[in-house]
Amino acid sequence: MDKLVSLAKRRGFVFQSSEIYGGLGSVWDYGPLGAELKRNLKERWWRSMVHEREDIEGLDAAILMHPKVWEASGHVAGFTDPLVDCKQCKNRFRADDPRLKGPPGDPDTNCPVCGNKGTLTAPRMFNLMFKTFMGPVEEDAAVIYLRPETAQGIYVNYLNVLQSSRQKVPFGIAQIGKAFRNEITPGNFTFRTREFEQMEMQFFVKPGADQQWFEFWKAERMKWYQGLGIRAEKLRFHHHGPDELAHYAKDAYDIQYEFPFGWQEFEGIHNRTDFDLMRHQEHSGKKLEYVDAAANERYIPYIIETSAGADRAALVLLVDAYREEQVEGETRVVLRLHPSLAPLKAAVFPLVNKDGMPELARRIYDDLRGRFNVFYDDGGSIGRRYRRQDEAGTPFGITVDGQSTQDQTVTLRDRDTLLQERVGADHVSEYLSARVKA
Ligand code: GAP
């Protein structure tokens, strides 16, 4: 992980938030390459959910919602972690922190930070939602929350989407957006952060058809990640046992990846039953039934949810792509990202900065720029330039050499095989489009 974190900073994937002020705990910023990677990931998700399917519509709900939403959803009462404070050093721990040996609150338990005995409090519940104030005068203003999940924006809009899009059950609503949780033990780089992005899809089905749709989405989501080029042996399902199930779920699977710090969830598939719509119906007083005119029946749909973290999935892509390989007696670091996800699709290099090479290289670069995110690099030895692009995960290197100015061909270097082939300068664009397609 340390090597990946350092590469991420060096190449401009991820920076610590507010770094010049010492950083803000577990908040991260995406640099030029990271922003592209995450965007490519989100675009693939949106395309597979919204554009390629007739039965899913997109939504972009606001982060701020009526505070009653979070009462109805159960978050005000139940979105809590049990915490233990050290009265001596003031550090705070989750009660299930493995460093707290012995039962929490046990006076013999040592504080894992200051080492004092008997200074830990009994566990107390701590709500993970961020609060803020709406209105000009803080004292009189309503307390509202930054959403801890995007899902609720979908539930409260389900009838609006249904009616305006003229969909019929079964159908889904997909959304990508920020969510916020005041996590107590965040960490492992971008794995658990306080501000993050979710890609959630809620699929509304007739009660009774729920388990079948649950199985469908479970298989579909695993297939999708494998299609992104993530190694199958690093992916697995984790079935929630009765003690792990969230209060709203009848059945749940996590999709886990084997990170350097162990197998961890990065997407959850839940059968949420009619819990959410029932609760919103009760709390809002508005009927949220689906009316099936053809069958002359009405019911509250069941919901199958696929909930992915965009940041966590982007971290999976980085971890899975990171390789150290021996090439000609040297170690090369390479990100073997799927070309469709790679931030830069190609880099253009004049072999030397003379004899007409920069002019031709610039012309090729300018031609490609309108269609692909490409990079121009004329600094340092060609070997150094290749290595920089390997670390950035750029799948193709286009080199303009002495022969190029004679016959208008360039060499195309493949990041993974290291094979080089000569291609006509006019065919580079066609070559790239065939290879960077999803
Ligand atoms: N609507 C259901 C829901 O939010 P969740 O399991 O709490 O379920 C779903 O979150 C996904 O969101 C997780 O699998 C993870 O990828 C991402 N996620 C949750 N908390 C996160 C955090 N603190 N930092 C980064 N990603 C997080």
Side-chain angles (χ1 to χ4, degrees), residues 1-2 4 188 234 257-263 315 319-320:
M1 272 316 275
D2 289 346
L4 182 74
N188 282 327
K234 295 276 181 185
Y257 180 81
E258 190 179 18
F259 288 96
F261 45 88
W263 287 96
L315 182 61
V319 169
D320 198 63

Side-chain angles (χ1 to χ4, degrees), residues 1 4 187-192 230-231 233-236 255-267 309-320:
M1 272 316 275
L4 182 74
N188 282 327
F189 196 32
T190 54
F191 179 79
R192 181 171 285 113
I230 300 168
R231 289 169 291 180
E233 67 272 22
K234 295 276 181 185
L235 294 167
R236 73 175 189 195
I255 300 181
Q256 295 186 331
Y257 180 81
E258 190 179 18
F259 288 96
F261 45 88
W263 287 96
Q264 296 286 346
E265 164 204 354
F266 65 105
E267 167 151 350
D311 307 87
R312 243 184 231 183
L315 182 61
V316 167
L317 293 176
L318 285 174
V319 169
D320 198 63

